[in-house]
Amino acid sequence: MANPAMVAILPGQAIKAPGSIWAKATEQANEERKKPGADGRGDAFCYFVGSRAAGKSTLLNRFLYPTRVTTGVVVIVVDLGDPASVLPTLLWWVDQIKKKLGSTYEKFEKKGLQLPEQLRQRAKTKLYAANEDKDSVYHSGVSLVIAAAKYDAFKGEDPEVKKVMSRMLRFVAHAHGAFLCYLSGLHGSSEGSGAEDAALLDNFTRLMNHLIFTGLEKKPMLKMPPMTDHNGPLMVPAGVDTFRSIGRPRGATDGSVASGMAEWRELFEKMFPGVREKEAKMSAKGAKFVIPDQYKEEEVDAVRQRKLTDLENFRKEQVAATDAAKKKALMAK
């Protein structure tokens, strides 16, 4: 049975223009119908058309997902093959996410909308209702996943090294309401661990499918049971861990999350020299968005470049206008 394709289109967009994506889609569908075994029935297309900002995308989402609220998923990937970079990378991106969400939520709240608080409460209720740390955890309102890649390059380390890495990651993940997964064999299965690599990737895929297409309305049904043993590949769903089970380097059983974070950071820096240098490098350069060659689209890239050029010109005009106003004010005096 053919799958329906639904697309929101702006007025004036050509559907059948030669070389357009719509024309290519139609051509591909016609070819599919001619293949042996095809039932001759083409894909069903439903177009939502109308004025800009009239609500086409909103209506489409309400049709596709009538009972869901907004879903957002952010995946932070850290490199276990470069242990010293793990904490700086993780904390830098967590900070960026907090800043972005904070500014976005503030705009909603200024308009009197309750969505930010609804998202935060949903995460708290659905994942942490029975967790003893539910009031200490930062609930962002989006699904946060920490994917620690290249476990195959790290699992041969000394057990004490793996223990510090795993407990630091568990602490940061739990403190921010995040899912934590170790992954390996992404660039080809490592010797003797193909089954483990495949199982970790399959579990991660199931988690992502759930978070993207189902959201936090239901707890994800994963194939692998939670794994918190530092001698194995970690797999810790949000809401499963506790600060008590993770522990603290100095053995403290109370105190703030911030003090616990400081303790784990101090021990991590001692265990993995070079943390501060990598942190300084990230702060100085920031993280640049790079599109791999295989994903580049000339037309999209051209439009993006035009937009960037327009933005730069606008900024220059604003600076020039400000300078002109200052000069005018000085002359008036």
Side-chain angles (χ1 to χ4, degrees):
M1 181 177 179
N3 294 322
M6 288 164 280
V7 186
I9 301 178
L10 297 175
Q13 285 184 315
I15 297 177
K16 295 185 178 180
S20 71
I21 188 172
W22 315 114
K24 292 178 181 178
T26 302
E27 182 181 346
Q28 182 177 348
N30 290 334
E31 292 298 323
E32 290 293 328
R33 286 201 300 272
K34 297 176 183 178
K35 291 183 178 180
D39 59 10
R41 180 180 176 185
D43 291 335
F45 293 90
C46 176
Y47 297 98
F48 284 66
V49 299
S51 304
R52 184 184 296 274
K56 298 183 299 299
S57 297
T58 302
L59 181 58
L60 177 57
N61 283 326
R62 289 291 182 271
F63 178 77
L64 291 173
Y65 314 108
T67 60
R68 195 200 305 176
V69 291
T70 301
T71 295
V73 182
V74 180
V75 181
I76 302 176
V77 182
V78 294
D79 185 359
L80 291 173
D82 182 11
S85 72
V86 171
L87 184 60
T89 301
L90 182 54
L91 294 184
W92 192 89
W93 279 109
V94 165
D95 184 58
Q96 298 305 306
I97 292 166
K98 283 183 174 180
K99 287 178 180 177
K100 183 61 179 178
L101 285 175
S103 62
T104 301
Y105 285 169
E106 185 179 2
K107 292 176 183 177
F108 279 116
E109 289 163 350
K110 282 183 178 179
K111 294 179 180 179
L113 299 176
Q114 300 299 314
L115 180 61
E117 185 58 26
Q118 289 172 354
L119 293 176
R120 287 189 287 257
Q121 286 301 318
R122 178 187 65 173
K124 183 176 181 179
T125 303
K126 296 297 181 180
L127 297 175
Y128 287 82
N131 192 288
E132 62 188 56
D133 303 319
K134 62 180 179 295
D135 295 324
S136 301
V137 169
Y138 168 75
H139 302 286
S140 66
V142 301
S143 298
L144 182 60
V145 180
I146 299 172
K150 299 185 184 177
Y151 170 64
D152 45 338
F154 181 74
K155 64 182 178 181
E157 293 285 349
D158 182 84
E160 193 61 28
V161 172
K162 292 193 290 186
K163 181 179 179 179
V164 172
M165 176 66 78
S166 68
R167 294 202 176 181
M168 180 281 295
L169 285 171
R170 285 173 60 194
F171 191 94
V172 176
H174 183 55
H176 295 89
F179 294 80
L180 172 61
C181 304
Y182 274 18
L183 293 169
S184 60
L186 298 182
H187 302 285
S189 297
S190 50
E191 186 177 351
S193 61
E196 180 182 73
D197 296 345
L200 292 174
L201 183 57
D202 177 63
N203 195 71
F204 177 76
T205 302
R206 287 170 181 263
L207 173 63
M208 293 303 298
N209 281 335
H210 180 92
L211 295 179
I212 293 171
F213 297 109
T214 302
L216 297 179
E217 298 308 310
K218 297 180 181 179
K219 288 188 176 181
M221 300 296 292
L222 302 177
K223 196 171 183 179
M224 293 177 63
M227 166 67 81
T228 58
D229 184 354
H230 62 272
N231 288 311
L234 296 188
M235 203 293 290
V236 191
V240 168
D241 226 335
T242 65
F243 290 126
R244 189 195 306 271
S245 63
I246 296 168
R248 298 267 287 274
R250 297 174 186 168
T253 57
D254 54 8
S256 67
V257 174
S259 62
M261 191 75 73
E263 289 178 20
W264 279 113
R265 179 190 178 95
E266 180 182 1
L267 179 58
F268 191 88
E269 289 180 358
K270 290 179 180 177
M271 184 67 74
F272 303 101
V275 170
R276 298 206 171 214
E277 289 80 357
K278 292 181 181 294
E279 188 174 58
K281 206 174 275 189
M282 284 200 72
S283 299
K285 295 183 178 179
K288 295 183 179 180
F289 178 67
V290 179
I291 302 175
D293 291 338
Q294 65 265 36
Y295 299 122
K296 290 184 177 180
E297 291 285 348
E298 291 185 5
E299 294 180 4
V300 175
D301 293 342
V303 172
R304 179 173 179 271
Q305 187 56 49
R306 285 200 297 273
K307 294 294 183 181
L308 290 175
T309 301
D310 291 343
L311 177 60
E312 184 61 27
N313 290 336
F314 174 76
R315 287 174 175 167
K316 290 179 179 178
E317 290 174 0
Q318 291 294 101
V319 171
T322 301
D323 291 342
K326 288 180 180 178
K327 290 180 181 179
K328 187 175 181 181
L330 288 174
M331 292 179 66
K333 292 180 181 180

